[in-house]
Amino acid sequence: MVTRRMRQVYALAASGLVLGIGATTVAASWVDSTMGDASFRTGTFGIESNVGGGWSSHSSSAPGVFTYTPSALLIRPGAFSYGPISLRTVPVSPAASVTLQAATVAGDSTLASALRYRVVKSTTCDASAFSTGTPQFVVGSATVFPSLSTGSAVGAIALPTGGASPGGAVALCFEISLPGTSANWSNSALIGKTATPTWQFSATP
């Protein structure tokens, strides 16, 4: 005959596996209450840019401003302006795969639609960067001059990790142009107008 005491023993034995796991978990947390904090830590990921005034993690509310040569404020049909920018990963960040997004443009929409741009990887930022040797195009090509609404291919810019230091810089050169077509020369709506494109670099590990 199974006594009440024996039934209690069997019941505990049947549930012993569950009790054992619970006891182990509780014991571990009591032995080292900071185990999780000591063993796991999230890392840092980020990129920063330099448009000539030093490195900064430029935000959408305070973007870096290109310095164009010749001045983009004096652009006319057939003219080209060039502006450099460099990118790198911040300290302790892994390598980054960067995509240049299409520009958002403030100002005159007619001028914005007429402007064209190209981007190459180059430490030199003038016309030669787009024609000498084998340019590494990020946007456009030797014969293609995209509109401002065109972005790069996904992950077109690879930024290396630098470990405890910032990663090695990747230099880019932006070329802005207003094609010297008869349509642009004869379009009085382009005279004296201003358009301000803003580009975003989106990075993923």
Side-chain angles (χ1 to χ4, degrees):
M1 178 179 296
V2 179
T3 65
R4 179 181 179 184
R5 177 62 177 171
M6 293 177 66
R7 283 197 299 268
Q8 291 175 337
V9 171
Y10 293 150
L12 288 173
S15 62
L17 183 59
V18 176
L19 290 173
I21 293 175
T24 301
T25 302
V26 172
S29 63
W30 278 105
V31 169
D32 185 1
S33 60
T34 62
M35 181 177 62
D37 184 60
S39 300
F40 301 98
R41 181 180 179 183
T42 57
T44 298
F45 175 72
I47 64 172
E48 55 188 4
S49 59
N50 186 346
V51 289
W55 292 98
S56 178
S57 298
H58 293 107
S59 65
S60 58
S61 60
V65 179
F66 285 87
T67 300
Y68 283 101
T69 306
S71 173
L73 294 177
L74 302 177
I75 199 166
R76 57 175 176 75
F80 294 81
S81 291
Y82 301 91
I85 184 172
S86 295
L87 305 174
R88 71 183 184 183
T89 54
V90 299
V92 198
S93 173
S97 178
V98 180
T99 302
L100 175 60
Q101 304 293 333
T104 57
V105 186
D108 185 75
S109 59
T110 301
L111 176 58
S113 297
L115 290 173
R116 295 293 182 265
Y117 86 113
R118 298 186 297 174
V119 182
V120 293
K121 298 176 184 177
S122 176
T123 54
T124 300
C125 197
D126 54 29
S128 67
F130 295 81
S131 59
T132 302
T134 306
Q136 299 181 60
F137 282 92
V138 174
V139 174
S141 70
T143 58
V144 176
F145 298 76
S147 67
L148 300 180
S149 61
T150 303
S152 74
V154 175
I157 307 164
L159 302 182
T161 180
S165 302
V170 174
L172 304 173
C173 181
F174 277 63
E175 175 192 79
I176 304 294
S177 64
L178 182 60
T181 62
S182 58
N184 285 338
W185 277 112
S186 61
N187 189 352
S188 60
L190 296 176
I191 298 174
K193 299 300 173 61
T194 300
T196 305
T198 300
W199 285 274
Q200 177 179 343
F201 295 89
S202 299
T204 57

